[in-house]
Amino acid sequence: MNAPEGRRRATVHDVALEAGVSRGTISRYMNGERYVSAEARLAIEAAIEKVGYVPNGAARNLAARRSMAVGFIVHEPHALFLEDPNIGSIMLGANTALSAADYQMVTLIVDSERDTERVARYLSGGFIDGAVIVSARTKDPISRAVERLAMPSAFVGHPPGVLAAYVGVDNRGAAKAITERLVATGRRRIGMIAAALDRDSGSDRLAGFTSALGSRFDPALVEEVPLYSYAAGVAGMQRLLQRAPDLDGVFAASDAVAAGAIEALRMAGRRVPEDVGVVGFDDSTWATRTQPPLSTVHQPAEGLGRAAAEAVLTQLETGDLTFTGTMLPTPIVWRASA
Amino acid sequence: MNAPEGRRRATVHDVALEAGVSRGTISRYMNGERYVSAEARLAIEAAIEKVGYVPNGAARNLAARRSMAVGFIVHEPHALFLEDPNIGSIMLGANTALSAADYQMVTLIVDSERDTERVARYLSGGFIDGAVIVSARTKDPISRAVERLAMPSAFVGHPPGVLAAYVGVDNRGAAKAITERLVATGRRRIGMIAAALDRDSGSDRLAGFTSALGSRFDPALVEEVPLYSYAAGVAGMQRLLQRAPDLDGVFAASDAVAAGAIEALRMAGRRVPEDVGVVGFDDSTWATRTQPPLSTVHQPAEGLGRAAAEAVLTQLETGDLTFTGTMLPTPIVWRASA
DNA sequence: TTGAAAGCGGTACCAT
DNA sequence: ATGGTACCGCTTTCAA
């Protein structure tokens, strides 16, 4: 401890005494309200400086019944949290929007049963006025808490199981669009490495692929892998190549998968894009690290975070928690892999 | 809103009335203290259920003067936050330790001047009892706040500018060790792609390299690049190759840099490890994605987070904020790139 | 424009 | 084991 043991932290009371005004006036000054005379202001500023006053957040929250903080809740499996290249961008995007509105973003990560309970309590505890939620789960204790508290909130990624605002992208439409683009380059035998079919994003991307191909769709050209990972991409491509050696185009469910696929193709002696055209999904850091760089679907991660935060802010301002679903555009970025 | 507009949230008071005991007893029950009879316990549990009581965190913090929350403060430049493969692991490691001690970890991102001020206020506001800090800065308003408040804290990565606990790795020693290992494989002309020399980690790794080579050190074989990035690795390797075509070994300042270097070597027609042996630093996800996989220094990211959190917890328990510096071991992981 | 006073929802000490 | 009762530090009417 640096501070002398006996010295309490200064309170509004101390400032009031020092400045010769009432606590009410201090409060008004602190909150930038009108009705504070110039002289009072000056006296208060001097007093604050002199006694070293720093407001106590808990007391403030208690009395005002709001915290000026919004939670950013990440509820993804351990591995996914580390792998997902988008999550950091979503976070920064949300922080940008909240910061501009002078809200403190507090990120809570849920990585165990214990965390789930504790975070749910945190939500109920009045520490945050709203929440942006990035979650693979639906209808878990956290979503329930948000629902029960009627807390301003927005989900990112998947539509929530509960009735709440939601910001996402049209995975199906985007997958369809990039597949069509690949078809347009003249490829005849196009396969897909479909990943994470247990998640909406995964199954939607497959659905988009199927629908783009229409009658030309051949189920034998779809290889399923469990995760959006590099390793899964390598393995998936190898199996696909074995089943369909004549294939000349591949839609990988994510950039990481595409990177793995390119590696597998290289090992098999196929050239990209000459022999096989490859397209990915996400436009993550992977996209520019492969050789050749990936043609892919741009995922507006930062925009998702910002939009979700803004949805929360709007609910906070208007008090209207009406459900809204927003889809952000996903432009295709055409590079050299197809 | 689900709740009828008029219905207040239940308070201890309501529970006390319903259960027919005093508020003090409720408090004791809630905090798991002894001296609560079985009958009282039962009555309280029923009452809580009936009135739908959820404790108010702000009130609790105010009265108890503690929050049972620890901040995890990330103060890295925008780009670095996204690139750094370690930060997620550090976060999860810290969360694991805090969660086990029943503390809520709240992550605060500092991404602008505005954030700096707001986060500093948050620290002073009594919302958290301690902080784990991952920061490129030293002596900024946040470190100052931590110091001024004599708040239990631990810095991860670089030694802090202020007197506080610190958990890190011996970059110099680790760099020396892996360079020596590279020398032991018989390489004669070993170069280094040194990165981020403006940061401790960067300059320490270079120092370790230099010291390992001793009298055989040739300054012409050191190429400096600004960032720990893939692109910097490509560019750095190309320049190095131009200056020293006879080089047969490279120590890259990070795995990302090493991955870039391998790509540049491939483009130049050199085989790895036959013609040139390459080693990296971090043992991040990059390490197993290169072809061949990287021999590198393992960075115990999750352990860093856990150790830092534990340092904070210890200070919290003992009240002793004595400075401690801890270095975690960094084993060498030998794969196929050298 | 300002002061007084009543909360906000708990905790913790003390007497019983 | 329990109840009573001062606070914790700030906000917010309301009257002046």
Side-chain angles (χ1 to χ4, degrees), chain A residues 89-166:
Chain A
S89 298
I90 296 175
M91 217 161 133
L92 288 176
N95 187 57
T96 301
L98 293 172
S99 180
D102 218 31
Y103 271 83
Q104 175 63 48
M105 181 175 96
V106 312
T107 300
L108 308 174
I109 79 182
V110 180
D111 191 35
S112 66
E113 274 310 308
R114 210 168 169 166
D115 287 354
T116 309
E117 300 302 330
R118 201 171 5 70
V119 169
R121 283 205 301 276
Y122 195 87
L123 294 194
S124 312
F127 297 112
I128 54 183
D129 299 335
V132 170
I133 302 167
V134 180
S135 170
R137 270 75 164 196
T138 199
K139 285 271 183 197
D140 61 2
I142 291 170
S143 309
R144 283 183 201 293
V146 167
E147 189 175 34
R148 184 173 49 71
L149 298 164
M151 171 178 277
S153 59
F155 286 72
V156 178
H158 333 241
V162 297
L163 199 64
Y166 157 62

Side-chain angles (χ1 to χ4, degrees), chain B residues 9-72:
Chain B
R9 264 179 58 166
T11 72
V12 205
H13 194 159
D14 304 319
V15 180
L17 252 42
E18 181 66 33
V21 300
S22 79
R23 299 194 294 167
T25 304
I26 309 283
S27 178
R28 266 163 253 154
Y29 166 80
M30 292 301 296
N31 295 302
E33 284 170 35
R34 52 195 178 186
Y35 297 141
V36 179
S37 67
E39 28 188 354
R41 182 186 318 290
L42 251 47
I44 292 172
E45 281 164 359
I48 287 179
E49 179 64 27
K50 175 158 181 206
V51 304
Y53 171 66
V54 179
N56 176 311
R60 191 182 252 233
N61 287 182
L62 177 58
R65 293 112 173 280
R66 60 183 163 58
S67 62
M68 291 303 282
V70 168
F72 183 94

Side-chain angles (χ1 to χ4, degrees), chain B residues 44-310:
Chain B
I44 292 172
E45 281 164 359
I48 287 179
E49 179 64 27
K50 175 158 181 206
V51 304
Y53 171 66
V54 179
N56 176 311
R60 191 182 252 233
N61 287 182
L62 177 58
R65 293 112 173 280
R66 60 183 163 58
S67 62
M68 291 303 282
V70 168
F72 183 94
I73 301 167
V74 186
H75 192 177
E76 297 277 356
H78 204 96
L80 219 71
F81 175 76
L82 297 175
E83 288 263 343
D84 194 330
N86 289 320
I87 204 144
S89 298
I90 297 175
M91 215 162 133
L92 288 175
N95 187 58
T96 300
L98 293 172
S99 181
D102 217 34
Y103 271 83
Q104 175 62 49
M105 181 174 97
V106 311
T107 301
L108 308 175
I109 295 185
V110 181
D111 189 36
S112 67
E113 273 311 308
R114 208 167 170 166
D115 288 353
T116 309
E117 300 302 330
R118 203 176 358 74
V119 169
R121 284 204 303 274
Y122 195 88
L123 294 193
S124 312
F127 298 112
I128 55 184
D129 299 334
V132 170
I133 302 168
V134 180
S135 170
R137 270 73 164 197
T138 200
K139 285 273 185 195
D140 61 3
I142 290 170
S143 310
R144 284 184 200 292
V146 167
E147 188 175 34
R148 184 172 51 71
L149 298 164
M151 171 178 277
S153 60
F155 286 73
V156 177
H158 333 241
V162 298
L163 197 65
Y166 158 63
V167 180
V169 298
D170 177 9
N171 280 292
R172 191 175 191 287
K176 180 160 184 283
I178 197 160
T179 303
E180 283 167 349
R181 185 82 156 73
L182 186 57
V183 168
T185 64
R187 310 288 174 177
R188 299 269 142 206
R189 292 279 285 166
I190 300 180
M192 172 169 183
I193 305 178
L197 291 179
D198 52 331
R199 306 178 65 181
D200 288 335
S201 62
S203 54
D204 287 353
R205 290 174 198 182
L206 174 54
F209 173 76
T210 307
S211 111
L213 257 33
S215 61
R216 282 173 305 188
F217 172 68
D218 177 357
L221 292 185
V222 174
E223 181 64 40
E224 297 175 15
V225 297
L227 297 173
Y228 290 121
S229 73
Y230 177 86
V234 173
M237 189 69 243
Q238 285 170 337
R239 290 199 300 270
L240 195 53
L241 222 38
Q242 207 149 26
R243 269 218 311 284
D246 59 334
L247 138 169
D248 65 357
V250 180
F251 169 36
S254 87
D255 289 350
V257 172
I262 287 179
E263 174 60 22
L265 286 166
R266 204 173 62 69
M267 293 190 298
R270 311 292 178 103
R271 291 166 307 163
V272 175
E274 294 83 354
D275 303 329
V276 183
V278 178
V279 296
F281 203 110
D282 281 350
D283 195 22
S284 64
T285 47
W286 283 103
T288 51
R289 285 174 188 169
T290 58
Q291 193 53 249
L294 289 174
S295 292
T296 188
V297 172
H298 180 73
Q299 182 93 259
E302 198 152 344
L304 286 171
R306 196 172 321 117
E310 276 160 3

